[in-house]
């Protein structure tokens, strides 16, 4: 098979399996795929049977013209946890989408993920000779970047370093030197930036080093079996207990480490992964899920836009504003001319592009050089307000039962159309609001109110409300439109949370005027920016931590930030032992041992005091019942000496 590889790290394994591989080194930026294929045919006689594009964090390449590919296309998202904000669009241009992190964002709505049909392709290890533990120098070792941007990793090394000798190269080391370091170590504690399965798990296991890592669930469990081939911890107490036990029982540690090493060589080498990939493509056949036409153009431009907004200015392609403008006109024209069966797709497309264009017009003048801002900001503001006035005169989007590509039922149709219309209403409302056009902003609030009864509600929402659509939300905000910017942001945070648009993993959002929110947490950050009196005495400020917690508690990769909001909730309501208990549990999970035990102890004392007549046993049982939902809660119960 002739396979075109773009930044595919296992290309040599494909060659060893007997395939012909073309792996051109492409420049950072956009690559025209049809031109590349034509060049390979002309120069090398290479006719691709399969195209594999693997995301590369340091040097991003985007393929343009994927819909014209003459063969199946595969996209491999390696750092989904850092790139989902743009890959949720880019992935829809491919026939097959693979990632090691299928479970990490599985509960989010499909539109906020890599999309339906995404399959798991695990990381791979390396073939290394076995070395007995008796000859290894380091009992406990860590190798990886440690800085202020990785607070959980700092907490891990602080917690262990205070109690055990931890070997840890402070400077970055070459790959082979790192692998030799693991081959000279017996136990390797692990930590992931965003609760993802990382390379370190496979690197250390390849060297016969027993990994002690966070409990990451299915994505990790399908790689190595917890308790047999690796160790997992849920919080500080369990981490310390297992570290101490396996340091004191080196034979048991070596047995598990060897089982993991054997599994790497039997199942986790690059050749294994390439065979799995090719089997997936062969099993599903050449007909995939790639988008075409205006839809493909839309997803490609949305990918570029997200990267530009994130700071990748190389993707600010010349005329991006014009490209989005032309695409908006094309979608609107198609919506006006299409048969009813196709109309909803173009209505949704036009709304989505309108939102994207407003976001770009607002942020383009903010995100480039000072000269560029000065010359362009006013022109962009004028163009954006003109677009808002055009959208304001259009009737509110009503959901029909017309067919939408990719949606097989009425609920899917409603989700696609209402999500797109909500994005447009949000962008127009905030664009106007930040430019002093409050009356025009209120018009888009009204349009959203009219839309809410037909808006499906995300089933996994964490606020406890069981609502099928947005009727209840519309009722709670019925009446006059918000008068303050703060209230607009709170409103939109509730709308977006109901849709499951919670955050943009990997995206750095600046909560400043001119920067446009796309999800509930970003709206709350902007609401916080409107508050001058940031004390618990101000009710506007006091409610924000609970709102942020309701969002971040749904996202395992935001555990550290969630802990901060739980701390504020406990501080603002000092008699609420349940809030303090939740903060204590979060602190333990985030490896802040003393803080966690201290907060849990105080919460238990408050729970006992709240019991009429000081019924300690009854309070202990209630506290323990709540603890039961916490993984490995027996460690906590022992430390607190609960009366059960």
């Amino acid at each position: 098979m002739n396979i075109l590889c773009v930044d595919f790290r296992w290309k040599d394994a494909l060659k060893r399996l007997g395939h012909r591989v073309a792996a051109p080194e492409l420049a950072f930026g956009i690559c025209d795929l049809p031109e590349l294929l034509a060049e390979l045919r002309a120069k090398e006689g290479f006719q691709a049977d399969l195209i594999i594009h693997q995301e590369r964090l340091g040097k991003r390449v985007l393929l343009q013209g994927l819909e014209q590919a003459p063969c199946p296309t595969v996209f491999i998202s390696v750092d989904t946890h850092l790139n989902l904000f743009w890959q949720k669009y880019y992935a829809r241009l491919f026939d097959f989408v693979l990632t090691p992190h299928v479970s990490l964002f599985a509960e989010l709505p499909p539109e906020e993920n890599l999309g339906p049909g995404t399959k798991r392709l695990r990381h791979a290890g390396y073939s290394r000779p076995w070395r007995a533990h008796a000859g290894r120098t380091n009992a406990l070792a860590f190798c990886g970047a440690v800085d202020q941007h990785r607070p959980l990793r700092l907490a891990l090394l602080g917690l262990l370093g205070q109690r055990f000798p931890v070997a840890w190269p402070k400077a970055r080391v070459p790959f082979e030197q790192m692998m030799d370091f693991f081959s000279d170590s017996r136990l390797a504690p692990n930590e992931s930036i965003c609760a993802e399965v990382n390379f370190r798990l496979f690197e250390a296991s390849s060297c016969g080093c027993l990994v002690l890592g966070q409990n990451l669930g299915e994505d990790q469990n399908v790689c190595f079996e917890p308790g047999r081939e690796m160790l997992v911890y849920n919080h500080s107490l369990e981490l310390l207990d297992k570290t101490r036990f396996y340091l004191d029982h080196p034979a048991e540690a070596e047995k598990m480490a060897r089982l993991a090493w054997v599994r790497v060589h039997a199942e986790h080498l690059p050749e294994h992964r390439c065979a799995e990939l090719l089997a997936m493509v062969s099993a599903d056949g050449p007909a995939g899920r790639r988008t075409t036409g205006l839809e493909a153009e839309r997803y490609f431009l949305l990918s570029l836009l997200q990267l530009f907004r994130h700071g990748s200015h190389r993707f600010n392609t010349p005329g991006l504003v014009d490209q989005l403008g032309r695409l908006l006109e094309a979608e609107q024209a198609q919506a006006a001319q299409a048969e009813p069966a196709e109309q909803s797709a173009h209505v949704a497309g036009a709304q989505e592009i309108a939102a994207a264009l407003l976001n770009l017009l607002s942020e383009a003048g903010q995100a480039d050089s000072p000269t560029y801002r000065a010359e362009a900001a006013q022109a962009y503001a004028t163009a954006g307000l003109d677009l808002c006035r055009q959208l304001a005169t259009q009737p509110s989007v009503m959901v029909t039962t017309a067919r939408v590509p990719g949606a097989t039922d009425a609920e899917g149709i409603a989700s696609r159309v209402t999500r797109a219309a909500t994005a447009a209403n949000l962008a127009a409302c905030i664009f106007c609001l930040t430019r002093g056009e409050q009356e025009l902003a209120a018009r888009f609030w009204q349009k959203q109110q009219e839309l809410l009864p037909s808006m499906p509600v995300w089933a996994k929402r964490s606020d406890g409300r069981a609502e099928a659509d947005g009727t209840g939300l519309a009722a709670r905000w019925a009446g006059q439109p918000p008068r303050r910017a703060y209230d607009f942001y709170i409103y939109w945070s509730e709308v977006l949370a109901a849709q499951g648009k919670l955050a943009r993993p990997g995206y750095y959002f600046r909560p400043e005027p001119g920067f446009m929110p796309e999800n509930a947490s970003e709206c709350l950050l902007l609401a916080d920016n409107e508050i001058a009196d940031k004390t618990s005495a101000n009710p506007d400020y006091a409610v924000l931590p609970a709102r942020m917690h309701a969002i971040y508690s749904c996202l395992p990769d935001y555990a550290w930030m969630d802990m901060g909001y739980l701390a504020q909730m406990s501080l603002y309501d000092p008699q609420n032992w349940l809030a303090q208990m939740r903060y204590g549990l979060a602190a333990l999970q985030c490896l802040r041992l003393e803080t966690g035990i201290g907060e849990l102890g105080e919460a238990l004392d408050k729970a006992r005091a709240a019991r009429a007549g000081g019924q300690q046993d009854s309070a202990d049982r209630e506290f323990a019942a709540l603890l039961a939902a916490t993984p490995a809660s027996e460690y906590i119960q022992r430390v607190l000496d609960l009366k059960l």
Side-chain angles (χ1 to χ4, degrees), residues 526-570:
L526 287 167
D528 178 86
N529 208 37
E530 294 292 322
I531 298 173
D533 177 15
K534 296 183 184 296
T535 67
S536 59
N538 181 354
D540 286 344
Y541 186 68
V543 300
L544 291 181
R547 288 180 178 272
M548 292 298 277
H549 166 62
I551 293 169
Y552 287 154
S553 63
C554 300
L555 301 169
D557 52 324
Y558 284 80
W560 186 271
M561 298 178 69
D562 188 33
M563 178 186 65
Y565 289 112
L566 285 167
Q568 288 183 270
M569 291 169 62
S570 176

Side-chain angles (χ1 to χ4, degrees), residues 359-379:
N359 289 333
L360 177 60
L361 289 170
S362 184
E363 294 184 6
Q366 309 284 333
D368 213 324
S369 67
T371 302
Y372 184 80
R373 286 201 304 269
E375 294 177 354
Q378 185 56 50

Side-chain angles (χ1 to χ4, degrees), residues 69-97:
C71 59
T73 57
V74 178
F75 178 63
I76 304 176
S77 171
V78 177
D79 291 307
T80 317
H81 54 293
L82 300 176
N83 293 289
L84 186 59
F85 66 93
W86 67 272
Q87 290 182 357
K88 68 179 182 179
Y89 300 115
Y90 189 64
R92 284 161 169 77
L93 300 171
F94 290 80
D95 295 315
F96 301 90
V97 179

Side-chain angles (χ1 to χ4, degrees), residues 55-379:
E55 157 244 321
R56 182 172 170 183
L57 193 61
K59 187 200 73 173
R60 290 196 174 107
V61 173
L62 270 68
L63 299 178
Q64 189 170 24
L66 279 157
E67 65 176 299
Q68 301 176 45
C71 59
T73 57
V74 178
F75 178 63
I76 304 176
S77 171
V78 177
D79 291 307
T80 317
H81 54 293
L82 300 176
N83 293 289
L84 186 59
F85 66 93
W86 67 272
Q87 290 182 357
K88 68 179 182 179
Y89 300 115
Y90 189 64
R92 284 161 169 77
L93 300 171
F94 290 80
D95 295 315
F96 301 90
V97 179
L98 309 176
T99 177
H101 316 297
V102 171
S103 301
L104 186 57
F105 302 109
E107 292 193 346
L108 293 180
E111 298 89 345
E112 298 304 307
N113 213 319
L114 293 175
T118 299
K119 296 185 178 181
R120 179 180 286 111
L121 186 70
R122 296 168 291 180
H123 293 313
Y126 304 86
S127 181
R128 301 275 298 187
W130 171 258
R131 183 182 176 190
H133 278 205
R136 301 190 182 206
T137 304
N138 308 310
L140 190 64
F142 180 86
C143 189
V146 180
D147 53 40
Q148 69 274 19
H149 301 299
R150 296 170 173 85
L152 191 56
R153 190 168 298 176
L154 283 170
L156 169 72
L157 294 174
L159 181 68
L160 293 175
Q162 292 170 8
R163 294 160 177 83
F164 312 102
V166 181
W168 165 33
K170 301 300 189 294
R172 185 180 294 273
V173 298
F175 177 79
E176 284 301 325
Q177 185 177 335
M178 176 193 69
M179 297 298 280
D180 290 341
F181 175 74
F182 279 133
S183 292
D184 197 30
S185 305
R186 297 194 290 275
L187 186 63
N190 193 15
E191 178 273 339
S192 302
I193 297 175
C194 297
E196 83 288 356
V197 176
N198 61 19
F199 293 132
R200 193 176 299 106
L201 170 62
F202 288 81
E203 292 160 351
S205 297
S206 298
C207 299
C209 190
L210 178 60
V211 175
L212 174 55
Q214 297 153 287
N215 185 357
L216 303 178
E218 183 183 2
D219 284 338
Q220 181 171 260
N221 297 346
V222 298
C223 301
F224 297 96
E225 183 179 341
R228 184 176 184 271
E229 298 163 330
M230 68 171 298
L231 300 169
V232 298
Y233 63 88
N234 292 279
H235 51 65
S236 311
L237 293 169
E238 188 177 15
L239 169 63
L240 292 176
D241 184 81
K242 290 184 174 179
T243 301
R244 187 175 294 108
F245 178 88
Y246 284 96
L247 288 177
D248 292 342
H249 297 79
E252 286 88 339
E254 183 172 18
K255 179 181 178 181
M256 296 178 69
R258 186 170 178 87
L259 287 172
W261 178 86
V262 168
R263 186 164 182 183
V264 167
H265 289 78
E267 185 181 329
H268 291 323
L269 295 179
E271 287 83 355
H272 299 129
R273 288 298 165 270
C274 290
E276 289 175 15
L277 187 159
L278 296 176
M280 292 180 198
V281 173
S282 176
D284 286 356
R289 67 171 206 178
R290 75 173 78 166
T291 53
T292 60
L294 291 179
E295 191 174 23
E297 185 178 356
R298 179 169 72 252
Y299 285 133
F300 184 76
L301 290 179
L302 289 174
S303 304
L304 295 183
L305 176 60
Q306 287 292 341
L307 286 167
F308 169 70
R309 295 175 66 191
H310 186 56
S312 297
H313 294 164
R314 296 194 192 190
F315 290 104
N316 182 20
T317 56
L320 182 54
V321 170
D322 291 337
Q323 291 180 67
L324 287 170
R326 288 195 297 270
L327 183 57
L328 175 60
E329 292 176 357
E331 291 280 18
Q332 290 174 331
Q334 289 292 326
Q337 300 169 8
E339 296 294 327
E342 303 292 341
Q343 189 174 44
S344 291
H346 295 295
V347 169
Q351 294 287 315
E352 199 168 12
I353 290 300
L357 185 53
L358 287 170
N359 289 333
L360 177 60
L361 289 170
S362 184
E363 294 184 6
Q366 309 284 333
D368 213 324
S369 67
T371 302
Y372 184 80
R373 286 201 304 269
E375 294 177 354
Q378 185 56 50

Side-chain angles (χ1 to χ4, degrees), residues 408-438:
T408 57
D409 53 49
E411 182 178 355
I413 294 168
S415 176
R416 168 71 190 281
V417 176
T418 58
R419 292 177 76 85
T422 297
N425 289 338
L426 166 69
C429 180
I430 303 305
F431 193 99
C432 296
L433 186 66
T434 55
R435 287 158 181 80
E437 298 285 345
Q438 185 150 336

Side-chain angles (χ1 to χ4, degrees), residues 470-534:
T471 301
L473 177 58
R476 289 191 292 276
W477 284 87
Q480 296 298 314
R483 301 185 62 182
R484 302 180 300 169
Y486 171 90
D487 297 313
F488 273 106
Y489 292 131
I490 294 295
Y491 171 77
W492 284 110
S493 74
E494 293 189 10
V495 170
L496 296 167
Q499 286 191 330
K501 290 178 70 73
L502 306 181
R504 275 186 279 184
Y507 185 89
Y508 173 66
F509 177 71
R510 294 166 59 182
E512 304 169 11
F515 290 90
M516 302 288 278
E518 286 193 2
N519 53 66
S521 60
E522 291 171 0
C523 287
L524 290 177
L525 290 173
L526 287 167
D528 178 86
N529 208 37
E530 294 292 322
I531 298 173
D533 177 15
K534 296 183 184 296

